[in-house]
Amino acid sequence: MSGLYFHIPFCRQACTYCDFHFSTRRQQQPAMVAAIRQELQQRAPTGPTGQMKSIYLGGGTPSLLSLSQLESLLQAAQANFSVDPAAEITLEANPDDLSLPYLKQLRQLGVNRLSIGLQSFDDSHLQLMNRAHNARQSRQCLEWIRAAGFDNFTVDLIYGMPRQSPKHWEGQLAALAPFKPPHFSAYALTVEPRTVLAHQVARGTLPAPEEETVAAHFDYLQQWAAAQGYEHYELSNLALPGCRAVHNSAYWQGQPYLGLGPGAHSFDGKQRYANVASNPRYLKAIQEGQPTGTSEWLRPEDHLNEYLMTRLRLDEGFAWADLTERFGSRWAQFVRREAQKHLKAGRFQEAAGRLFIPAAWRFHSDGLAAELFALQPTA
Ligand code: SF4
């Protein structure tokens, strides 16, 4: 099972917290679409084999592309790969780019899932994040999505905003409830280095998110989502039964994927490939027929660490048999030994041959996974 990812590296404006690769200089948009098509044609012969089960247009802001630009990328995918007729085809979109006619035309292009960068229903928070849309547009686009016939979509929300009270976060989820999205992602605001937010926190103009408050938001999220019928299947992702993300789930399960565009990553099952995260350098490489990025050979322990980090964010964790098959019994024994004290303390649980983090400890998933990291197995 394989997935195809297009990174569209343009945004209308820079959100204060964002450390993804994007540019607000959009003059190069037509040249970039042509270059990504060219990269696809160049890499398809050595790309993932088998049917593509998902195509994901992410970024940046893919909804800044015109319909004909999107169509040209999807046509290139169809022309160069065997795409499953039932493939999940997701487009990331911001509310300020959407209109009912545009949404209807997206459906005609074959886009069957939308990922909406909504983030908040509160204008003051949207302004604080320097988002390009307002709360009215957040609500409006959710109505249009349904009216356009999209029954598969996901919404991003951010919690743990500076000075955000638990009551305020409860209000955000209450605002989401009437739209009943089949899937949503809830991310704790993270202060990434070299972002505007990091400068604001360093200068003291904004407080850093307080861990205690963020943990309270997460607790409420868990309770609320369960009461609404959502499965909290990944630390930041929640879905109604049968509505889990195909593309992201494959990524979390370590399936191969091909990533195209500046800053995109690919994985062939063994080796990772990272495209240069610079629009001019990417365009130049394509024009000159040079490689667009570099390969990265992962040491077994790096693979294992990544496996633990992604799998322990899933509600189902991982199966000991799977870990042993992938990494061998020495590494499996190493992880088992490291897990013991956490099992005794109830921070991990085992059932049906799987190790996972119980709901009460899920907020700490990343830190707990890191506790198992394999530096070196003992002889
Ligand atoms: S729209 Fe998305 S990718 Fe662009 S700056 Fe904002 S968060 Fe980052």
Side-chain angles (χ1 to χ4, degrees):
M1 171 165 173
S2 304
L4 182 61
Y5 174 77
F6 290 103
H7 189 84
I8 309 302
F10 298 104
C11 291
R12 208 176 282 287
Q13 60 194 51
C15 303
T16 60
Y17 55 89
C18 180
D19 72 342
F20 296 139
H21 170 64
F22 68 92
S23 168
T24 52
R25 285 189 219 116
R26 292 171 49 203
Q27 305 88 319
Q28 290 174 322
Q29 207 167 287
M32 184 60 72
V33 172
I36 294 174
R37 280 174 57 102
Q38 210 173 321
E39 187 193 2
L40 186 152
Q41 280 156 6
Q42 282 165 5
R43 293 181 61 193
T46 54
T49 51
Q51 269 199 326
M52 286 288 175
K53 299 288 184 189
S54 63
I55 298 177
Y56 195 101
L57 294 124
T61 311
S63 53
L64 287 176
L65 295 193
S66 66
L67 289 159
S68 62
Q69 288 171 332
L70 290 170
E71 186 175 25
S72 76
L73 292 176
L74 291 173
Q75 275 176 351
Q78 296 282 358
N80 287 276
F81 293 102
S82 158
V83 179
D84 186 333
E88 177 192 88
I89 302 180
T90 304
L91 178 92
E92 281 183 359
N94 281 341
D96 43 303
D97 295 327
L98 298 179
S99 66
L100 190 51
Y102 181 79
L103 285 162
K104 286 182 177 168
Q105 284 163 317
L106 285 177
R107 273 186 63 77
Q108 281 166 12
L109 290 187
V111 174
N112 55 28
R113 185 172 183 267
L114 294 169
S115 173
I116 307 296
L118 200 119
Q119 318 309 355
S120 177
F121 290 99
D122 182 326
D123 277 335
S124 68
H125 280 185
L126 291 167
Q127 284 160 16
L128 199 65
M129 292 186 265
N130 198 37
R131 297 289 305 180
H133 68 278
N134 58 35
R136 184 189 55 75
Q137 288 169 309
S138 293
R139 289 187 168 83
Q140 176 72 84
C141 79
L142 293 176
E143 282 166 19
W144 282 338
I145 285 167
R146 291 282 193 195
F150 281 98
D151 52 11
N152 193 7
F153 64 95
T154 182
V155 166
D156 288 349
L157 286 181
I158 292 184
Y159 62 92
M161 290 290 294
R163 305 188 193 96
Q164 185 179 25
S165 66
K167 201 107 209 100
H168 186 278
W169 173 233
E170 289 172 23
Q172 295 295 297
L173 291 172
L176 182 68
F179 300 104
K180 200 75 184 178
H183 186 288
F184 72 101
S185 303
Y187 299 104
L189 181 71
T190 311
V191 183
E192 300 290 351
R194 294 183 295 283
T195 57
V196 172
L197 178 63
H199 286 295
Q200 290 169 325
V201 169
R203 281 202 314 267
T205 50
L206 277 182
E210 281 174 23
E211 178 155 350
E212 219 172 281
T213 311
V214 179
H217 290 182
F218 184 82
D219 280 350
Y220 184 74
L221 170 69
Q222 283 186 307
Q223 291 164 28
W224 181 87
Q228 298 280 325
Y230 287 96
E231 297 167 346
H232 195 166
Y233 71 110
E234 200 270 350
L235 187 62
S236 305
N237 287 278
L238 306 98
L240 294 177
C243 299
R244 296 183 181 200
V246 172
H247 186 85
N248 291 357
S249 296
Y251 167 74
W252 297 322
Q253 299 291 344
Q255 303 288 338
Y257 57 92
L258 178 65
L260 304 165
H265 289 241
S266 306
F267 180 60
D268 65 5
K270 290 194 184 85
Q271 199 179 359
R272 262 207 311 243
Y273 188 83
N275 273 354
V276 60
S278 152
N279 290 3
R281 283 166 61 200
Y282 173 84
L283 288 171
K284 187 163 182 281
I286 292 284
Q287 275 161 13
E288 295 176 355
Q290 299 294 325
T292 51
T294 48
S295 298
E296 183 187 359
W297 285 100
L298 294 180
R299 296 174 303 165
E301 51 268 49
D302 293 328
H303 261 307
L304 177 55
N305 292 351
E306 203 171 273
Y307 176 94
L308 293 168
M309 185 57 86
T310 48
R311 297 307 199 285
L312 287 171
R313 288 173 63 101
L314 301 175
D315 60 347
E316 62 182 20
F318 62 82
W320 285 111
D322 181 59
L323 184 135
T324 307
E325 191 185 321
R326 286 170 190 264
F327 300 99
S329 53
R330 275 181 74 215
W331 287 111
Q333 280 162 17
F334 171 85
V335 175
R336 203 178 263 285
R337 263 200 313 274
E338 296 298 308
Q340 278 316 310
K341 67 173 186 282
H342 297 296
L343 273 164
K344 281 194 195 120
R347 293 188 282 265
F348 289 142
Q349 272 182 13
E350 273 184 307
R354 305 187 76 89
L355 185 79
F356 58 93
I357 297 177
W361 284 94
R362 282 196 80 194
F363 179 68
H364 303 282
S365 295
D366 291 347
L368 285 169
E371 297 261 323
L372 302 187
F373 274 9
L375 302 172
Q376 281 298 320
T378 47

